[in-house]
Amino acid sequence: MTEIQSSNNNLITQAINNQIKTNEINKTQITNPQSDKKEIKQDTFENTTTPKNITPKENNKSMKIFNGILSTAICLGLFFLPDILLGSFNKKSKGLLNKYKNFKPVIGEFVTSQKQERLKNGNLKITLENIKDKFKYQEIIIGNKQGNIIQRILIKKEEMPNGKYITRLVKSYKGKNLINNAEINKNEHKYLFKLFRRSKVQNKEYKTLVQRQNESPKITRFFTTSNGKPVFRINENEIQKENMAFLYSGDKCIGTDTQIIPINNPENQYNILTIPKAGIRNKVYDPTKEEKPYDTSLLTKFMQNF
């Protein structure tokens, strides 16, 4: 987690604290007989931070940043609402407030965008995004219905010359104590569930490392176009070597043709073809005995860039 800059703001705490204040106001209104006749208003969140030293010229920009922080606080605050509304509000809210007082988003306090969605299993997925220069940083927070963070995913992407992004780093953390960033950094081996790292070897060539917890790392070589589109992949394990060519129709990748070379029996090599649009899925064929079952023009990009 040390590769992505940490934040100093606790947005979850801010959201919960404002919700507690709102509840106390609502509770006072309910105990007042006259308040029964009043229209019930929706819960709101208020940000008590006042921007300082803002010149008129900077006002519009500062308000956008301020609204972005507030929007993120609301998004993270909503994470706890199902649990909060099911029981004694003040007791549970104050407990959550204390529990998450050390939580800080890793990608920074100023987010470019954020979204929230409910997964099919009932868990909540919150995605925060921050763009800095040519890099895009994403932080995905997965929480269960009990209000516990069960997974955090950090993603770093680099912008290519054509404006598209290529993934350079992914760290997926799982565990019961995913709130404190310092704790995760100190014991990363304990929480790191999966790691993906793409390193540039030379022009158009990358090396990727994929490692799961308690497993040996898997290293793969990728060859790409100047814009980062994959054209060839070399992967080798103790059983076989795989040479995968990506097939393109114009600028769109439509399938792959993979050469399989068994380590102990290299003479028994064969190919596996997959072109979903043509209805071809995992077709095994021997290129020495039969023609390629597709138009050879699909290999043009491969020949130009490898």
Side-chain angles (χ1 to χ4, degrees):
M1 289 181 60
T2 54
E3 295 193 29
I4 303 179
Q5 185 177 1
S6 181
S7 163
N8 292 321
N9 259 0
N10 189 340
L11 302 180
I12 283 186
T13 299
Q14 181 182 351
I16 298 174
N17 193 30
N18 288 323
Q19 186 65 22
I20 292 175
K21 292 179 180 179
T22 302
N23 180 76
E24 290 175 349
I25 294 173
N26 291 339
K27 184 177 180 181
T28 302
Q29 291 178 342
I30 292 173
T31 55
N32 187 342
Q34 296 180 354
S35 65
D36 293 339
K37 299 179 181 180
K38 295 181 180 180
E39 182 181 355
I40 299 176
K41 297 183 179 180
Q42 298 295 324
D43 292 340
T44 59
F45 291 83
E46 297 179 1
N47 193 303
T48 56
T49 304
T50 303
K52 297 181 180 180
N53 301 325
I54 298 177
T55 62
K57 199 172 185 178
E58 298 173 327
N59 189 57
N60 289 336
K61 183 179 179 181
S62 299
M63 283 304 296
K64 289 181 180 179
I65 296 175
F66 174 81
N67 289 336
I69 297 173
L70 180 60
S71 179
T72 303
I74 292 173
C75 180
L76 294 176
L78 286 175
F79 173 82
F80 302 99
L81 286 184
D83 183 62
I84 290 172
L85 296 177
L86 287 176
S88 177
F89 184 89
N90 283 332
K91 183 178 179 180
K92 291 192 176 183
S93 298
K94 289 178 181 177
L96 287 170
L97 180 63
N98 182 64
K99 178 180 178 180
Y100 285 92
K101 64 182 179 182
N102 293 322
F103 180 86
K104 299 174 184 177
V106 175
I107 63 173
E109 58 183 294
F110 298 144
V111 296
T112 307
S113 66
Q114 58 83 15
K115 66 177 181 179
Q116 172 183 297
E117 58 184 306
R118 182 71 63 180
L119 303 179
K120 291 182 178 180
N121 60 4
N123 291 340
L124 192 65
K125 176 183 177 182
I126 298 171
T127 303
L128 307 178
E129 187 175 281
N130 192 1
I131 298 177
K132 297 179 182 178
D133 300 324
K134 65 175 182 177
F135 292 101
K136 178 189 292 186
Y137 300 91
Q138 294 177 320
E139 180 170 358
I140 299 174
I141 303 166
I142 307 294
N144 60 21
K145 291 179 284 187
Q146 288 71 42
N148 298 313
I149 296 177
I150 59 175
Q151 187 175 6
R152 291 176 72 176
I153 304 171
L154 305 179
I155 304 172
K156 179 181 179 181
K157 297 181 179 181
E158 182 180 5
E159 186 178 13
M160 295 289 102
N162 62 351
K164 295 185 178 181
Y165 286 89
I166 185 172
T167 301
R168 295 298 299 269
L169 176 69
V170 178
K171 289 187 174 184
S172 176
Y173 297 96
K174 286 186 177 182
K176 296 182 179 180
N177 188 15
L178 297 179
I179 300 174
N180 193 310
N181 296 338
E183 161 67 15
I184 297 177
N185 287 333
K186 183 179 179 181
N187 301 290
E188 187 173 55
H189 66 281
K190 176 181 177 182
Y191 300 99
L192 187 60
F193 173 73
K194 184 177 180 180
L195 170 67
F196 170 88
R197 188 191 305 276
R198 186 193 303 268
S199 305
K200 192 169 186 178
V201 178
Q202 57 184 1
N203 187 32
K204 297 183 180 180
E205 182 180 352
Y206 292 85
K207 179 179 69 175
T208 65
L209 179 148
V210 178
Q211 184 172 11
R212 291 181 179 272
Q213 199 172 49
N214 302 322
E215 292 184 6
S216 301
K218 297 179 181 179
I219 299 176
T220 303
R221 291 171 64 196
F222 271 96
F223 294 85
T224 72
T225 67
S226 56
N227 289 331
K229 292 183 177 180
V231 293
F232 194 63
R233 188 189 79 178
I234 301 175
N235 188 22
E236 187 172 351
N237 54 43
E238 64 278 2
I239 300 176
Q240 61 191 25
K241 182 177 181 180
E242 301 176 4
N243 298 321
M244 176 183 287
F246 293 81
L247 307 177
Y248 282 83
S249 176
D251 287 331
K252 185 177 181 181
C253 179
I254 63 169
T256 59
D257 189 0
T258 306
Q259 180 188 35
I260 307 296
I261 306 175
I263 300 298
N264 296 328
N265 299 292
E267 65 279 0
N268 292 330
Q269 59 184 272
Y270 58 93
N271 283 46
I272 298 178
L273 177 65
T274 298
I275 306 180
K277 187 176 181 180
I280 304 173
R281 298 181 184 274
N282 300 320
K283 172 181 171 59
V284 176
Y285 74 97
D286 186 346
T288 63
K289 297 180 180 179
E290 57 183 297
E291 296 182 0
K292 285 186 175 64
Y294 57 87
D295 190 336
T296 54
S297 64
L298 297 178
L299 288 172
T300 301
K301 191 176 290 289
F302 163 74
M303 298 300 294
Q304 291 175 342
N305 292 277
F306 181 64

